[in-house]
Amino acid sequence: MFCYQCEQTDRTQSQPGCASAKGNCGKDATTADLQDLLVYAVKGIGQYCGLARRLGTPDREADRFILYALFTTLTNVNFNASRFVVLLREAAETRDRVKAACEAQATSQGVAFEAPTGPAQWQPADSMAGLLEQAKQVGIQAGVADVGADIVGLRALVIYGLKGVAAYSHHACMLGYESDEVYAGVEAALTFLASDPADADALLGQSLELGRVNLKVMELLDAANTGRFGEQTPTKVRVSPVAGKAILVSGHDFGDLLALLEQTEGTGVQIYTHGEMLPAHAYPTLKRYTHLAGNYGGAWQDQHGDFANFPGPILMTSNCIIEPQPQYRQRIFTTGPVGWPGVRHLEHHDFGVVVQAARALPGFAETAPEETITVGFGRHAVLGVADKVIDAVKAGQINHFFLIGGCDGAAPGRNYYTDFATQAPNDTVVMTLGCNKYRFNRHEFGDIGGIPRLLDVGQCNDAYSAIRIAMALASAFDCGVNDLPLSLVISWFEQKAAAVLLTLLALGIRNIRLGPTLPAFLTPNVLGLLVEQFGIQPIGNASDDIAASLSRKAA
Ligand code: FSO
Ligand code: SF4
């Protein structure tokens, strides 16, 4: 195996990357290699789906398969090697179905049919050994001897950005929101990758194009969330438990949460959110369920302790899952793209077994003293008080905005984002999204003339909301986003964050501070390019970075 797709990759060797029997996330070599082969197979489906679209017969079922298959290969999603063997067979069947439709369509239109080459022609080996042999040829570093590490790193940037696009699109699709523009963009990127591109400018151009596609995807997911659940409104969320039977839901999929709320209504079982599920409390359709009792624990990297201590079953709806510990292995369930060998997997929103487990487990014996945090500052809430915000800026009460978004990763001892948020001066506003908010969201930030100093914009995909807020402020002040008193301090962890970063770059947003470490797949040359073109800078020391951000805007 060789994998360097996430922030926690092994950096102990001169060539950073997880290359032993197991990655730092717990992914074993067989699973990693099968995931590489699945990405290769998906490129072939993309080639045929693009052709089908050009022939006027796009295939949404195949497009949906592409999203799901790519999502399973994201960091901390699916660790189940046997699931990938099945997905590889399904990939070949899907590709063959689209291929046959293309051939028939070309014949009926009387146009010449030129079969795509490369991944489109892949045939799955009959045995596991054969599949693993095939995987060796198509890993992320394939071709490095011919084209060099810079080109391979840029190809990785495209692939990882595409994985992020696929994950967010899958979430939107699960809520009934799809877009031909997005599917065409995904097919184009896969077809491009299938040609083994070796031109750095073309690769960077495709990366930025994916950033634009991802903006559309995040807009779609925003429309899906607000369309299905209403607009986020500022909401106090209980972060201390109440007595009674309980289920904990983690991941990002609000559709799964809604189904679980429906299936537990009137049963006396309380539902708690974990990690990136926290913003659910701000959506009217979800919070009207009074048994959505509160938020429990911290970010994904705290799950070993949080899940072990939780006195009920746990449902994982998307990343980030890490190896279930013996204390809760019998009471954790996966659904959707998530998987762990030996952990019960549920489909079709049928969560009866989770409810049964909740009834059998003790639940919370006592109600703890009430503690709350406030969430729900999506774009509707913030732009609803835009006049107040603009007046506060004009009056000098708000001197600067910081967007501290993303995920800080799991390494212990990190305190940059905590320090940054808590040391930000009192005349600054901190917007946050993604799961690194848990580093500081229990801190008391106070307010500026009634505007809370900490605005929780939502999940990582709600970067869309933050972009809309920034654009509205820029328009009110008649300047560009880069001219606003706004600094972006982004933590990237996995491939969705890579897609969001590409979106920000595609929008021309400069001078982003990126941490907690820089992506290992970007070579020094490529990083140099990004620094030159976009002013990306690695995070340093929190107080120095705050001072530098404030002085840049004051200059
Ligand atoms: Fe975090 Fe995981 Fe939401 Fe990621 S829970 S790390 S960047 O999946 O997507 O913020
Ligand atoms: Fe390593 Fe991250 Fe890949 Fe896991 S996903 S094998 S930690 S680089």
Side-chain angles (χ1 to χ4, degrees):
M1 76 178 278
F2 182 85
C3 181
Y4 58 178
Q5 70 176 358
C6 86
E7 192 275 331
Q8 65 186 338
T9 198
D10 184 358
R11 292 171 198 263
T12 59
Q13 311 297 321
S14 57
Q15 161 69 73
C18 295
S20 56
K22 219 176 216 188
N24 284 348
C25 59
K27 181 166 70 174
D28 65 54
T30 301
T31 304
D33 290 350
L34 294 176
Q35 287 184 351
D36 286 346
L37 188 57
L38 183 60
V39 170
Y40 185 78
V42 163
K43 288 181 197 169
I45 307 174
Q47 288 174 280
Y48 269 110
C49 280
L51 188 55
R53 188 172 299 281
R54 289 194 293 283
L55 287 165
T57 53
D59 187 326
R60 282 206 164 181
E61 200 186 321
D63 286 321
R64 289 179 198 129
F65 179 84
I66 289 172
L67 303 185
Y68 178 83
L70 287 176
F71 198 169
T72 62
T73 72
L74 256 74
T75 297
N76 290 346
V77 175
N78 202 311
F79 295 78
N80 202 345
S82 58
R83 180 76 188 114
F84 288 99
V85 174
V86 175
L87 279 169
L88 282 163
R89 307 264 172 249
E90 290 174 0
E93 284 162 20
T94 303
R95 188 268 327 273
D96 288 345
R97 181 172 55 71
V98 186
K99 179 183 174 193
C102 284
E103 286 166 351
Q105 190 62 21
T107 306
S108 79
Q109 291 180 12
V111 295
F113 175 77
E114 200 177 324
T117 55
Q121 295 181 345
W122 166 77
Q123 294 300 337
D126 293 336
S127 64
M128 178 66 110
L131 291 173
L132 292 175
E133 201 49 43
Q134 289 183 329
K136 273 191 198 160
Q137 315 303 318
V138 300
I140 194 74
Q141 291 234 298
V144 69
D146 299 326
V147 296
D150 292 345
I151 293 298
V152 163
L154 279 165
R155 287 178 185 168
L157 180 62
V158 176
I159 291 174
Y160 300 154
L162 187 56
K163 288 188 181 194
V165 163
Y168 287 145
S169 305
H170 174 81
H171 282 303
C173 178
M174 289 297 96
L175 295 172
Y177 286 66
E178 295 175 273
S179 151
D180 278 317
E181 184 186 337
V182 170
Y183 285 141
V186 168
E187 292 159 8
L190 287 166
T191 304
F192 174 77
L193 286 166
S195 70
D196 289 337
D199 179 276
D201 288 340
L203 281 155
L204 198 55
Q206 178 63 70
S207 303
L208 295 177
E209 177 54 26
L210 273 176
R212 285 183 278 276
V213 173
N214 191 53
L215 179 64
K216 176 77 198 164
V217 171
M218 291 194 294
E219 182 184 21
L220 197 66
L221 186 48
D222 178 271
N225 285 336
T226 52
R228 289 285 307 275
F229 311 120
E231 291 168 5
Q232 286 195 62
T233 51
T235 306
K236 276 194 170 157
V237 181
R238 192 181 171 107
V239 290
S240 50
V242 293
K245 306 283 185 185
I247 298 172
L248 189 59
V249 189
S250 194
H252 299 72
D253 198 304
F254 292 148
D256 290 331
L257 174 63
L258 176 62
L260 186 64
L261 287 166
E262 286 166 350
Q263 291 170 35
T264 46
E265 194 170 21
T267 62
V269 175
Q270 313 279 346
I271 307 297
Y272 292 82
T273 58
H274 182 265
E276 276 277 71
M277 274 290 166
L278 168 62
H281 296 272
Y283 286 93
T285 300
L286 299 171
K287 71 178 175 183
R288 75 184 167 81
Y289 290 91
T290 51
H291 64 300
L292 182 60
N295 176 254
Y296 181 88
W300 68 272
Q301 66 265 25
D302 299 327
Q303 68 188 255
H304 279 166
D306 292 344
F307 293 0
N309 291 331
F310 191 79
I314 303 124
L315 178 65
M316 276 310 300
T317 69
S318 74
N319 45 348
C320 285
I321 188 171
I322 47 183
E323 182 169 8
Q325 298 299 290
Q327 299 101 305
Y328 60 86
R329 208 177 174 110
Q330 298 307 316
R331 55 183 168 90
I332 183 169
F333 301 84
T334 59
T335 189
V338 196
W340 194 282
V343 164
R344 276 168 294 179
H345 186 76
L346 309 173
E347 290 288 3
H348 313 300
H349 284 163
D350 183 358
F351 301 132
V353 62
V354 186
V355 184
Q356 270 174 26
R359 287 200 171 109
L361 287 159
F364 288 104
E366 290 176 6
T367 296
E370 184 173 6
E371 285 175 57
T372 61
I373 56 173
T374 304
V375 301
F377 293 97
R379 66 195 165 89
H380 300 101
V382 176
L383 296 180
V385 292
D387 290 351
K388 220 169 148 185
V389 174
I390 290 161
D391 288 348
V393 174
K394 285 184 176 158
Q397 292 167 298
I398 297 179
N399 178 39
H400 205 86
F401 296 88
F402 292 108
L403 174 65
I404 308 181
C407 171
D408 195 10
R414 281 193 178 141
N415 52 12
Y416 174 87
Y417 295 98
T418 317
D419 289 349
F420 198 109
T422 56
Q423 289 175 17
N426 286 338
D427 59 356
T428 62
V429 168
V430 173
M431 292 190 285
T432 188
L433 51 89
C435 53
N436 83 353
K437 69 181 63 143
Y438 285 97
R439 298 273 186 196
F440 47 80
N441 70 352
R442 295 204 185 189
H443 179 81
E444 188 45 67
F445 284 86
D447 66 285
I448 299 175
I451 302 163
R453 283 197 54 236
L454 178 68
L455 301 174
D456 183 342
V457 182
Q459 293 182 325
C460 45
N461 49 285
D462 290 310
Y464 175 73
S465 241
I467 289 167
R468 288 286 299 270
I469 293 167
M471 285 177 161
L473 287 177
S475 145
F477 291 109
D478 199 18
C479 66
V481 169
N482 288 319
D483 305 315
L484 286 170
L486 165 70
S487 301
L488 285 86
V489 193
I490 304 294
S491 52
W492 87 283
F493 173 67
E494 41 83 344
Q495 300 76 54
K496 282 183 280 175
V500 173
L501 183 65
L502 290 176
T503 299
L504 296 173
L505 299 185
L507 287 168
I509 294 173
R510 294 182 54 82
N511 303 319
I512 295 169
R513 282 197 159 71
L514 187 63
T517 58
L518 295 176
F521 55 87
L522 295 181
T523 58
N525 287 338
V526 175
L527 270 174
L529 205 68
L530 295 180
V531 170
E532 189 186 295
Q533 288 195 17
F534 301 102
I536 284 187
Q537 37 198 322
I539 60 168
N541 162 291
S543 55
D544 291 349
D545 287 357
I546 291 171
S549 303
L550 296 176
S551 68
R552 186 176 68 81
K553 292 303 172 190

